[in-house]
Amino acid sequence: MSDNGFDKVLVANRGEIAVRVMRACEELGIDTVAVYSEADKHGGHVRYADEAYNVGPARAADSYLDHDAIIDAAQRSGADAIHPGYGFLAENATFAGKVEDADGVQWIGPASDAMERLGEKTKARQIMQSADVPIVPGTTDPVEDPEEVEAFGDEYGYPVAIKAEGGGGGRGMKVVHAADEAADQLQSAKREGEAYFDNDSVYLERYLENPRHIEVQIVADSQGNVRHLGERDCSLQRRHQKVIEEGPSPALSDELREKIGEAARRGVREADYTNAGTVEFLVEEDEDREPGEVLGPDTNFYFLEVNTRIQVEHCVTEEITGIDIVKWQIRVAEGDELAFAQDDVEVRGHAMEFRINAENAADDFAPATGGSLETYDPPGGIGVRMDDALRQGDDLVTDYDSMIAKLIVSGEDREEVIERGKRALAEFDIEGIVTVIPFHRLMLDDERFVTGRHTTKYLDNHLDPERIDEAQEKWGTETAAPADDEEVTEREFTVEVNGKRFEVELEERGAPAIDIDAAAAGDSGGTQPRPERAGPGDDSSGGAAAADGEQVAAEMQGTILDVNVAEGDEVAAGDVLLVLEAMKMENDVVAESGGVVEKVAVGEGDSVDMGDLLVVLD
């Protein structure tokens, strides 16, 4: 690190957020380092960075979540600092602490002890109580026994939310509607917490039936200055996953938004927190509120959690304040003092962010299982911002989350943003991969959303699924299957020496294909041929050979979190056979009919592809 700040930053992430951070670094005159897994060797963030390092195989636990591999890449590259983006290791206080202790490398984010205080929800609730921030009734100590869940439900009423200490975005959260669900849901929440956050500790909260999700963007420096940059409304959610975010909220009066913003500042100050973060609140919606009415200053709002990192939807705040949050993350880590006072923060106009996920909304938002961007022509024009990493011709990487881009639209007011959003989404031309663009177009004509009276439960409980089917049929594209005889000739090579990536351009049109494996095997300085994967059902693996019984196969690519049955067990229709993690969500694989387990073809921790054999029932 030079006297003027960082010279080189490693971005410990992938995809559009990695590119977003790298762009901020470039504008600050800082070189960038990418890390990538085997699945991401042709990723857009790798193309954008000044240099790149391979940190392991496709499975996130063996690459993007490998603490030692990430820090080693930073030290080998000579990076001064590590920026984690969001997801993966961004809220891992243990990893942040390791970076703080590493020689020559600095953490761009909150201090690890502050991350631990606010990242673990029970500690965060205690801090917020001390700062006089309203909190939802809940526990401040971890919960271990189903009886504790039942006792809480008896006292405060059902439903009860069981939440993972390290969770967020709905991951690691289970809802208990009655006492007889307590044991199963507690076990499931603890399992998700362990799988996603290396922490199986959980706590309880009263589950609000119809809240709005309001979050406040904050940034704080090491000199004690704390600023909030206004709020974002993230109430349009599906299964606790945000779909469209906007700012400012169409539902809040100015008095209420000021109360919520100041509560966020008090809580962050109490936690001795630095760098960027988001304080999330649940706001009680008035179900009888008329279009055009807003929620007054006496409306109840409750602290939900603190995200100790940059958020997916930070772009909304940047568009309405003109403040580059990522640059300020870097500057604060370099020791700079915030250059603006709270009164200098001015919210101008309105903005919305549309997550462009590779999902089929008409098929219960099922993620795409493959494909390539045969056409990728994003929209442009005034008030349109694209945050992406993929380009036309790129293959879809399905090992991680389903987001392929973010479209952010801004304008003078919400009405203009809605009309501009319609125009931009209609311009967005993607072929080869199914996306949620038709769903977004539907929502911009949805009366409940357009009038700003939707809650976090609207999509799951009230929106007619047939309307989504109609939108998909009208505006959607399907994943195109490649022709069986399609021949692809590679002329661009990637070589790794001691884990560092180098690119060699040997492109030639019309020449015969090169046997890349043979070439690599004969080149001691390049990558070695990748061994064939012996997946479930492959006789060469010594695993599941063909069986005569009912075969239960994986419906999507993912990782086996838990196997609930063994060979010889008798199961009934609807019994959970195993749990498959895919796209950061836990999915139960159930028996469609009763029988005896003849073969279990997978084990805990195994990676599977769509169609792989999981269980055979007789």
Side-chain angles (χ1 to χ4, degrees), residues 215-231:
E215 60 187 30
V216 178
Q217 176 69 57
I218 62 93
V219 61
D221 61 29
S222 56
Q223 288 79 18
N225 300 301
V226 180
R227 310 284 184 256
H228 79 76
L229 308 183
E231 89 281 355

Side-chain angles (χ1 to χ4, degrees), residues 71 129 157 167 180 185 228 408 428 463 479 485 493 536 581 614:
I71 294 173
Q129 280 183 312
D180 59 1
Q185 296 291 51
H228 79 76
I408 306 96
F428 208 150
L463 183 66
T479 302
D485 59 352
F493 295 90
E581 180 269 325
L614 304 177

Side-chain angles (χ1 to χ4, degrees), residues 45-76:
H45 69 293
V46 176
R47 291 192 296 257
Y48 195 92
D50 294 308
E51 54 187 296
Y53 289 76
N54 186 323
V55 289
R59 186 168 179 260
D62 301 323
S63 51
Y64 293 113
L65 295 175
D66 187 329
H67 298 192
D68 295 337
I70 299 292
I71 294 173
D72 179 64
Q75 292 175 325
R76 284 194 290 147

